[in-house]
Amino acid sequence: MTKQELLDACDLFLFDLDGTVYLGETPIAGAAEALGRLRGAGKRIVYLTNNSSKTHAEYENKLRALGLWGAGDSVYTSADATAEYLNAHAAGKRVYLLATPPVTEAFRAAGVRLVEEDPDVCVLAYDTTLTFEKMRQFNEYLAAGKLFIATHPDDVCPTAGVPMPDVGSFLALFERSCGRRPDVICGKPFTVMGACVARAFGVPAARTCMAGDRMHTDIRFGNANGMHTLLVLSGETTRRAMAEFPDVPGVVLESVADL
């Protein structure tokens, strides 16, 4: 598929964040202009991230500060997908949640019934305020057989210097401590988030493009959900690394600026 064919085929563009439209606190050169051209062509832009440590309002503030936000844009996180999944498949169930305070409030605002004791469901988000006591209690609930849902599977969160442990690292911890793996993982590359995005924005997968810098999350997510895919080489993946994955992106560009 050519770049022009991709543009003609898609109405909704899902953009990963770090490594795709910015690096840390610096926008990718030319990204703002390219995004502006997409909006001018009538394309819808949604920033789609696995990072569930922040709310979509917090991400919007950052994108505005970096000059990457435009009229009609949206943010959708793995926490949003998880809250939607809970409301659809575990409505009214008692939920014990590990999440940052702002994300906890977002779950509550979405109508999820949060409790501290005797839950039906345990949900692991990217809780950067995690304490040993919270971890111990979560582990006990998992050992008791409660339904186990994780927002996303990423092992590490990219940061300057040494990457930080992410949800995937905590999943490995709980597997060692109580033998449990999640019953459901909502974020990329799984299909829960894909179905949520289709419902939330009303665009079929065949008219949607997933653009990102990671083969094992972004491109696999797009392929698994029947979307078009765009790999950018401005972040994690190199052309050599790309060849080592079974997934194949529809289009490969040096950066979003090339759109």
Side-chain angles (χ1 to χ4, degrees):
M1 173 176 272
T2 66
K3 176 176 66 174
Q4 188 59 51
E5 287 170 340
L6 178 70
L7 292 169
D8 292 340
C10 298
D11 302 311
L12 173 64
F13 281 79
L14 309 174
F15 286 99
D16 178 55
L17 291 174
D18 208 347
T20 302
V21 296
Y22 58 68
L23 287 170
E25 302 300 319
T26 305
I28 297 291
E33 293 79 7
L35 294 168
R37 289 194 294 272
L38 286 177
R39 296 185 195 101
K43 309 300 183 183
R44 181 78 189 272
I45 291 173
V46 174
Y47 295 102
L48 192 76
T49 179
N50 265 359
N51 192 326
S52 56
S53 67
K54 297 180 176 65
T55 65
H56 47 81
E58 291 175 292
Y59 279 115
E60 179 181 337
N61 289 338
K62 177 173 182 175
L63 289 160
R64 285 185 182 278
L66 294 178
L68 297 171
W69 190 262
D73 291 359
S74 300
V75 174
Y76 199 82
T77 75
S78 64
D80 296 323
T82 303
E84 182 174 338
Y85 181 87
L86 288 167
N87 286 330
H89 298 280
K93 298 292 186 181
R94 297 164 58 86
V95 176
Y96 185 78
L97 172 69
L98 293 187
T100 61
V103 171
T104 297
E105 290 309 308
F107 270 87
R108 186 173 285 112
V112 177
R113 184 184 178 189
L114 301 181
V115 299
E116 293 297 323
E117 297 179 346
D118 192 27
D120 305 302
V121 185
C122 292
V123 175
L124 177 63
Y126 189 16
D127 187 0
T128 55
T129 64
L130 189 61
T131 65
F132 184 81
E133 178 54 30
K134 290 163 68 176
M135 194 161 52
R136 182 197 63 77
Q137 186 64 78
F138 196 86
N139 187 71
E140 288 189 5
Y141 291 144
L142 294 185
K146 307 299 183 180
L147 181 67
F148 183 14
I149 298 176
T151 57
H152 64 288
D154 298 28
D155 289 334
V156 296
C157 181
T159 53
V162 179
M164 296 187 297
D166 205 331
V167 167
S169 296
F170 292 108
L171 293 179
L173 182 152
F174 288 120
E175 184 175 17
R176 292 295 295 271
S177 62
C178 69
R180 291 288 305 279
R181 292 289 298 170
D183 298 297
V184 178
I185 301 178
C186 293
K188 298 179 288 186
F190 298 99
T191 56
V192 170
M193 199 173 194
C196 289
V197 166
R199 285 193 298 270
F201 301 102
V203 178
R207 299 291 302 175
T208 300
C209 174
M210 178 67 228
D213 69 305
R214 284 181 165 186
M215 290 292 296
H216 62 286
T217 53
D218 303 317
I219 303 308
R220 185 162 294 170
F221 171 79
N223 289 345
N225 286 281
M227 300 171 181
H228 297 281
T229 54
L230 166 62
L231 176 71
V232 293
L233 303 176
S234 51
E236 177 178 303
T237 304
T238 64
R239 289 188 183 274
R240 173 177 288 185
M242 177 181 67
E244 298 174 356
F245 283 88
D247 293 86
V248 178
V251 175
V252 182
L253 298 174
E254 292 300 316
S255 81
V256 168
D258 293 330
L259 278 174

